[in-house]
Structure formats: structure tokens, C-alpha cells
Amino acid sequence: MGSSDLSMILPRVLIVSRRTVRKNKFVDFVGEYHLDLIVSYGAVPVIVPRVTGVHMLLESFEPIHGVLLCEGEDIDPSLYDAELSGFAPEELEEIRALHASDTAIDKEKDTIELRLAKLCLERNIPYLGICRGSQVLNVACGGTLYQDIEKEISKNCSLGQRVVHMNYENYDGHRHLVKVVEGTPLHQWFRDSLEGNKMEIMVNSYHHQGVKKLAQRFVPMAFASDGLIEGFYDPDAYNPQEGKFIMGLQFHPERMRNQDSDNFDYPGCKSAYQEFVKAVIAYEKKLSCSASIPKSVKLDQEIEKKRKVIVRSFSIARNMYSSGGGKVSGQESELQVGAEFLEANTALSLQQENRLKQMGATVRNASTYIERLKMNEERERVARNIIGKMSVGQLSDLISFYHMMGQICSEALEKKLHDLVVSEDISH
């Protein structure tokens, strides 16, 4: 099997890029660790570029077997907290100055990622949210965020409980302690690294925001010392073997590595990606199996509905054609359905042609027939308007004229029928 064949059958994981400025131009990028891990476990990362209008084109990225959303700017607070947490203007300016790269809100990225998150929730598509991606997942389900952890949490904590969640001076090397919740996937992944009964591991941290109110469907998997939720999942949507995986991690397990050797801090660091891709592969197989089963019942119902609409259109046309008139108003839209069907230039079988005739489709150009009915209706309206303006004498003369013409037509018709009967008798 060639490499091109392999890429055709591997499941697809969508990852939205992050935008930055380089040499006065926008550049979209995704961290290499995410891509490496997705590929190493058997899936293909498909990068969704953060460009204007992409949120309207997400159907073009189908089929979607998994979504991984990761780092990025702060989510627009109006999407979850209209009151901006009560910050004073000078506090907001201080936050923006300290976290300049994160506080520049990207509404297009918000729209793209929230739509993808909601799509995953609707279809049960495997979803892994890292850092900002976990916050997107929580907001998509109705949760809220702390807009600045230091000002909303740290100032209310004792010195022993305070946690540094963003350390610019030791960006990749900084770690802080989290307590893992027993019985969760995170506990399962890091079980061998937990010392005694402490249920604690050290994680990296690159954020100044975090989950405030956790959406109702989720269960926490880890807490920082200050009480901040560092991981959560949906227990009803977690079974990687069956293609179920909905999870958010505030820390970055893919970047928890020794700077000298590139080895992971813990063996469990890569488990999030391993189990996520396992779910993606199972979901793709489940999707392929369901797609191979013909949905005959649903298809028959749709065809039957369309057939009834077309039959009604032909029935109305037949009745109007048989009676030689009738008003179009009120039934024009129903007639138009049959007209569009007949004008589709579809090749019909003999059986279909006979069936159409049985339904009264004796006029192939239904649009012309509709226009003729409209014209007759207009002529009748004009005639009534003209006749209404005639005097009594003019109306009497007109009636006499048409009476005389009727007698002449009757005599001519009687003569032609008599001649036809005589000719048939002679031929016999």
C-alpha cells in the first residue's frame, strides 16, 4: 500500500491554527507537538486556517472524525460574562499590559472553534481541548471563565494556596502541583506516577484565565491548590474503544518534557493523545459502517413526500385543463412544482410516461399552460370591464348577435355531422 493510499484511509482530526504577525504579515501556525502525537498514533491532522469566513465553510472539512483545539488568545468575555467580572478600567489595562499576546481577542477564531465544539457535542465526535481548547469546550456548554486568575482567585487565597499559573521568566520550565481526582481518566493515565496516597502531579501552566463555573455535564479530573479546575471530562461521553471522548485539560501534557532530553515528565503525559486518537479511529470506523448501511426507510419517506406534492400539482392541472378554465390564484405555487418537474428534461421510461398521463399530465410545457390560464383570466377581466360600460341597447344588440352566431354554428355543425354519417354509410 502506497503512502497516498494510507492517507486516504486514516481518520481526520481538525485543528484550528493560531494567528501571529511575522515580518509585518499574518502567519497561521499549530504547535508541532500536537501534530507529531496525532500522526504517531494513527490519525491525520487537518489544519483549519484561521482566516475570515472559514466559520461558514466548516462543512467543506467533512468528514470530521475528531477535533483538537489548543492554545490561543482569550475568549471574548461577552460570550459568557457580559459584566466583565466587575473590573475597573485601570485593572483591565493592567491585565492587557501584562498578558498582551493573550488579551488581543480573536473573534473569528472564537466563532470557528465554538462551532466545532458544538458540532462535536451534537454528533458525539471525539474532542480534546488543551488550555484554551478546554475553555472553549466549557463555554460551548454554558460554563463561564475567570477573566484573570490572579485578580479573581489569587488575591483571596492564603500564601500557601496561591499558584503561579503564568511564569514568563521560566515559560516552559515552570510547574505547579495539581491534585488528581480518583477514578477519572487522568487518574488512570498517571496512576504509576502518583506517590502513595497524595494523588498529586506537577504540571506546566501557560494561562491567566480558567474555568470558573464548570458546565453541568462535566466532572472535574484535577484541581490546583487555589481550587482552579485543571481538567474535566464528560463521563457519559468517554469510552475511547467505542469512539467516545469529550475532555478538556488546562495544562499542556504534550509540552511536559525534559528540556535536555525531550523525554516526558511522566509516562502518562502522552496518554491523552493516545486515548483521544483511539477514540477518533473507533469513531471513524463506526461512521463508515453506518454510512454503508442504506437508509431506505428515510429515503422512501422523502421520495414519497415529493411524489405526493408532484401528484397534487398534476391533479390540479388536470382538473383545470378538463374544465377549460379556473383561477390560478391560490394554486399557482402548487402548479409550479409540476411545471419544474416537467421542465427538468429528465428522460422518462414508457411506464413513467403512462403514469404521468394517468395523472393528467397531458401538457408537457406546464409553464406555458399556466401562462395561458393567466391570459384567459386577464381577458375575462378586461371583457367584464368593457361590457360593464355598455348601454342597455348595446347589450341587447350584442346578445342578439351572439344568439344569431350560435344558430349559424349549430346549423353548420349539424350539417357536418350529417355529411360524416352519410360518408361512413357509403364506405360500408
Side-chain angles (χ1 to χ4, degrees), residues 11-63:
R12 297 151 53 91
V13 175
L14 267 57
I15 309 176
V16 180
S17 66
R18 185 176 184 181
R19 172 163 286 190
T20 188
V21 177
R22 182 182 180 188
K23 296 181 179 179
N24 298 320
K25 292 183 179 179
F26 287 120
V27 176
D28 283 17
F29 69 96
V30 174
E32 63 175 322
Y33 286 149
H34 301 297
L35 304 178
D36 287 345
L37 288 166
I38 293 296
V39 171
S40 66
Y41 289 118
V44 173
V46 177
I47 298 176
V48 179
R50 181 259 161 262
V51 293
T52 303
V54 165
H55 67 276
M56 300 296 292
L57 305 174
L58 294 180
E59 290 184 357
S60 300
F61 291 90
E62 299 277 5

Side-chain angles (χ1 to χ4, degrees), residues 18 29 33-34 70-74 98-103 130-132 164-176 203-208 250-252 254-257 259 265:
R18 185 176 184 181
F29 69 96
Y33 286 149
H34 301 297
C70 38
E71 58 272 2
E73 296 80 1
D74 295 346
L98 183 60
H99 307 290
S101 63
D102 291 332
T103 53
I130 302 293
C131 195
R132 169 191 157 97
V164 176
H165 290 279
M166 179 72 88
N167 187 336
Y168 290 108
E169 295 180 359
N170 186 20
Y171 197 65
D172 280 319
H174 174 64
R175 301 284 188 272
H176 70 76
V203 301
N204 53 13
S205 191
Y206 306 91
H207 61 102
H208 78 104
Q250 184 59 71
F251 59 96
H252 285 258
E254 82 285 356
R255 293 175 68 168
M256 289 171 57
R257 306 181 185 222
Q259 296 182 5
D265 292 0

Side-chain angles (χ1 to χ4, degrees), residues 96-306:
R96 289 167 184 156
L98 183 60
H99 307 290
S101 63
D102 291 332
T103 53
I105 292 170
D106 188 339
K107 292 189 176 183
E108 181 67 25
K109 185 176 174 70
D110 287 348
T111 304
I112 295 170
E113 296 193 340
L114 280 170
R115 288 197 177 185
L116 281 175
K118 290 177 181 178
L119 183 67
C120 289
L121 295 167
E122 290 169 5
R123 297 191 196 171
N124 293 318
I125 298 173
Y127 178 103
L128 174 60
I130 302 293
C131 195
R132 169 191 157 97
S134 67
Q135 298 171 11
V136 169
L137 178 60
N138 188 49
V139 170
C141 292
T144 62
L145 306 176
Y146 289 110
Q147 291 177 43
D148 188 74
I149 295 170
E150 184 177 354
K151 291 190 176 298
E152 295 184 72
I153 297 183
S154 298
K155 68 179 182 180
N156 298 321
C157 293
S158 64
L159 289 176
Q161 291 179 317
R162 290 183 184 178
V163 176
V164 176
H165 290 279
M166 179 72 88
N167 187 336
Y168 290 108
E169 295 180 359
N170 186 20
Y171 197 65
D172 280 319
H174 174 64
R175 301 284 188 272
H176 70 76
L177 184 144
V178 299
K179 181 164 285 190
V180 177
V181 177
E182 188 175 0
T184 63
L186 206 62
H187 178 211
Q188 179 183 351
W189 300 341
F190 289 89
R191 184 188 301 274
D192 295 338
S193 302
L194 300 173
E195 297 181 2
N197 297 322
K198 288 186 177 181
M199 298 290 288
E200 295 172 349
I201 59 173
M202 301 294 289
V203 301
N204 53 13
S205 191
Y206 306 91
H207 61 102
H208 78 104
Q209 296 191 330
V211 171
K212 184 176 184 178
K213 183 187 78 175
L214 186 64
Q216 189 173 2
R217 69 184 290 167
F218 298 125
V219 171
M221 295 194 299
F223 293 91
S225 300
D226 56 10
L228 187 73
I229 296 173
E230 290 281 342
F232 59 89
Y233 79 118
D234 183 348
D236 295 326
Y238 182 81
N239 191 328
Q241 290 81 2
E242 294 183 2
K244 298 179 180 180
F245 193 105
I246 301 291
M247 181 178 293
L249 298 175
Q250 184 59 71
F251 59 96
H252 285 258
E254 82 285 356
R255 293 175 68 168
M256 289 171 57
R257 306 181 185 222
N258 188 300
Q259 296 182 5
D260 297 327
S261 64
D262 209 34
N263 293 328
F264 284 107
D265 292 0
Y266 305 100
C269 288
K270 55 188 178 181
S271 296
Y273 289 81
Q274 187 175 15
E275 295 302 300
F276 168 64
V277 174
K278 182 187 295 182
V280 168
I281 293 171
Y283 180 84
E284 188 273 336
K285 289 180 179 178
K286 186 164 59 176
L287 201 66
S288 298
C289 290
S290 63
S292 64
I293 300 174
K295 299 180 180 180
S296 56
V297 176
K298 183 177 180 180
L299 187 63
D300 286 348
Q301 289 177 346
E302 292 176 355
I303 292 176
E304 179 65 15
K305 184 177 179 180
K306 291 179 181 179

Side-chain angles (χ1 to χ4, degrees), residues 208-421:
H208 78 104
Q209 296 191 330
V211 171
K212 184 176 184 178
K213 183 187 78 175
L214 186 64
Q216 189 173 2
R217 69 184 290 167
F218 298 125
V219 171
M221 295 194 299
F223 293 91
S225 300
D226 56 10
L228 187 73
I229 296 173
E230 290 281 342
F232 59 89
Y233 79 118
D234 183 348
D236 295 326
Y238 182 81
N239 191 328
Q241 290 81 2
E242 294 183 2
K244 298 179 180 180
F245 193 105
I246 301 291
M247 181 178 293
L249 298 175
Q250 184 59 71
F251 59 96
H252 285 258
E254 82 285 356
R255 293 175 68 168
M256 289 171 57
R257 306 181 185 222
N258 188 300
Q259 296 182 5
D260 297 327
S261 64
D262 209 34
N263 293 328
F264 284 107
D265 292 0
Y266 305 100
C269 288
K270 55 188 178 181
S271 296
Y273 289 81
Q274 187 175 15
E275 295 302 300
F276 168 64
V277 174
K278 182 187 295 182
V280 168
I281 293 171
Y283 180 84
E284 188 273 336
K285 289 180 179 178
K286 186 164 59 176
L287 201 66
S288 298
C289 290
S290 63
S292 64
I293 300 174
K295 299 180 180 180
S296 56
V297 176
K298 183 177 180 180
L299 187 63
D300 286 348
Q301 289 177 346
E302 292 176 355
I303 292 176
E304 179 65 15
K305 184 177 179 180
K306 291 179 181 179
R307 187 189 69 82
K308 287 180 178 180
V309 172
I310 294 172
V311 168
R312 166 141 180 90
S313 179
F314 290 155
S315 179
I316 293 172
R318 178 193 60 195
N319 294 338
M320 296 175 71
Y321 184 72
S322 300
S323 62
K327 293 189 175 181
V328 175
S329 59
Q331 296 179 319
E332 180 178 352
S333 61
E334 293 181 283
L335 284 169
Q336 191 63 33
V337 175
E340 291 173 355
F341 177 80
L342 291 173
E343 290 178 338
N345 295 320
T346 305
L348 303 176
S349 66
L350 180 60
Q351 184 180 4
Q352 289 172 323
E353 290 281 3
N354 291 335
R355 180 58 181 154
L356 286 175
K357 290 179 182 179
Q358 291 173 8
M359 291 189 293
T362 55
V363 181
R364 285 296 297 173
N365 193 340
S367 293
T368 302
Y369 181 53
I370 292 173
E371 292 300 320
R372 188 185 307 143
L373 290 175
K374 288 182 179 179
M375 189 180 298
N376 290 340
E377 189 177 19
E378 178 65 14
R379 285 175 178 172
E380 180 182 348
R381 187 188 65 79
V382 172
R384 287 182 180 277
N385 187 41
I386 294 173
I387 290 174
K389 296 178 181 179
M390 288 183 174
S391 64
V392 175
Q394 289 174 324
L395 289 171
S396 298
D397 291 340
L398 188 61
I399 291 174
S400 299
F401 171 76
Y402 279 107
H403 181 69
M404 180 182 66
M405 291 298 295
Q407 286 182 331
I408 294 173
C409 287
S410 295
E411 292 172 1
L413 179 59
E414 186 177 354
K415 184 177 183 305
K416 286 183 177 293
L417 291 173
H418 175 74
D419 294 340
L420 183 61
V421 171

